[in-house]
Each structure stands twice: as C-alpha cells, then as structure tokens.
Amino acid sequence: MTLEKIGEVIKTGIHIGILPHIDGDGDCIGSSFALLLALKKLGKNAKVVVEEDIPPVYSFLPGQYTKSDELSAEDTFDMIICLDSGDEGRIKDRLHLLHNSKVTVNIDHHITNTKFAQHNYVDPDSAATGEIIYDLIRLLGIEIDREIAANLYVAIATDTGGFRYSNTTSRTHHIVANLLQADIDIASINRKVFETVTLSKLKLLSDAANRIELYGAGKIAFIALTREFIKEAGANDDDTDGLASLPRTVEGVEVGILLTEKEPQKIKVSFRSNEYVDVSEIAALFGGGGHMRASGCTLKTDMKTAKAKVLEAVKDSMRPTTCSIHS
Ligand SMILES: [Mn+2]
C-alpha cells in the first residue's frame, strides 16, 4: 500500500482515533500529536487516545490526548489509526477501539510489524514514524506549522538518538531542515528532551551504572532493575525510560540488555546493539520486535529465569556461525 493510498483512506474518516503505543516515547507521541493537529486542519474530529498519561518529559509538546478510560459514550470512531506500533500487543487494552472501528490504519517503521490493520503502511527505512507522518501531512496538502514541526522534530530526534544512530539518513536531515523552517526552538526542545533529568532518574542511573554486569568476554553488558531496586532508588517507572541505552555505551560492548521488573512475573526486556548484532531477531525469539539496533519484548517469568534465557539468546546470536554482519 502506498502512502498516497493511506492519505486517500484517511480523507474519508470523520471521527478519527489516533492510537500511539503503550509505554509512550517521543516518536509515537510526537507523531500522534502532529497527525492530530494536521487532521484538525482538515476539519476532522480527531482524538489521540492513550492508555497511560504520557511521560512528563513530553508534556511540553503541543497537542491533547484523552485516556481510554475517560472516553465517553459519544466517543465513537469510524477510523482508528495506530502509530509506531509493531503489533496489536502495543495497543493493549485499547484493542476494542481498533476492532470496533469500520476502518483501521497502521502506520509504522518497525521491521517486525505484523500488519494487523486493514490498511498498513510500514517503512523500515524510515528512522522514525515521524518521518512517515511528515510525508503524509505534506501529501494531504497541509501546511507544517510551528506546532506540527515541534512534534515531528521530537519524534525524529528521539528515535535517532539526536541524529546519531545508524538509522539517520540524508532524508532524515532533509525533513528536519524543512521542519526548522517553521521556526521551532531546537535548543529549548533538545534541552527539555535530552538534557533534563529528574533527580530521582539521575540517582537511578548512577545506581544502575554501579550494577552493570559484563558477559561474553565483555561484549554483553547487562542491567537488572527489580521493583525493590527501583523503589530503593526512590524512582518510578518514568525514570527507567531511556536507561536501555546505558549498558551498550560501555567500551567493547556490542549488546546492551536492560531487564525491568514491571510487576511480579513480568519482565520488560530492552536490547540495544552497536555494530553487528541484529537485536530485532533476538526480541522476535521471545515474541517481541523492533529494529536492528533497538528492540524489546516482555517475559512472563521471574528475573532470574528471564536473565538466563535472555543471556543465552544473546550469546547464541554472537557465535560466529549464527552471527549476521550488517555493514
Ligand atoms: Mn518509532
């Protein structure tokens, strides 16, 4: 399906629900708000519907959202658009909105996307869903104003790690060059997104750094965050956000693993790699997904078992016979 066709489909919607994935990040929130503002300019009755409040770090972004448990009886949607969600699990408790909608659209850039909607547009070459939404908004003939630009900038900047990751392309920079023409304050945005931490998060980071374990001759770095540990650090779930990229920053490490105990018997696993291990394949072994350099899954087991399973899978992926080299 082409993006032009997706644009045609979207034009037919009247009451449109936009669903970012759970555990919201800059890409899904920025993309959702940008599309919301654009659809309003088209005269659509659109709403961003989330399951949890968005992380405070993104609260400065222009846009509104409604929590799914606050929807009223009048809130029915004839079209649902899922953004940045690789599979239905990422829509979680809002799946009924998807299933009850006449028309469903899925726009994403995860290579592992299961194409769960009627109309799917998945482009793994896009660094962020925000890049696709940029093209879509242009296709719809809507002007990218300052508010839309700020949202798209955050979407793209966060998924590229501030334009440093290997998914960053010349197209990424071309798009962002156009966004800057809308006169957004990138110094202020970047400070808010990348250079501001809560004290509790900084303390959690330092405690977590103290607990890094190395395996596989120093090529694998591992951190486990138990509920008890998070509590002792005086931190909350929002503070664990972004911690996944810490282990792979250790010199000599190829794969960084972060295990977060979300609740008893429910371990969130984040994989990050640097040069050659395709971590989307490792996450897929456990029913998760993502990208070559960043992926994740959830294991319904205890921390000890999760650690053993995950370490074994990562070690396997690094054996010469099964190791795939990507330049
Ligand atoms: Mn994304």
Side-chain angles (χ1 to χ4, degrees), residues 21 25 27-28 84 108-110 127-130 155 159 291:
H21 58 71
D25 61 13
D27 187 22
C28 79
D84 202 38
D108 185 31
H109 68 131
H110 292 90
T129 295
D159 261 24
H291 310 287

Side-chain angles (χ1 to χ4, degrees), residues 60 146 150 153 179-180 182-192:
F60 74 93
R146 199 164 185 250
Y153 181 87
L179 295 179
L180 294 202
D183 199 27
I184 50 176
D185 185 347
I186 57 161
S188 164
I189 291 174
N190 282 306
R191 184 171 43 75
K192 284 173 186 148

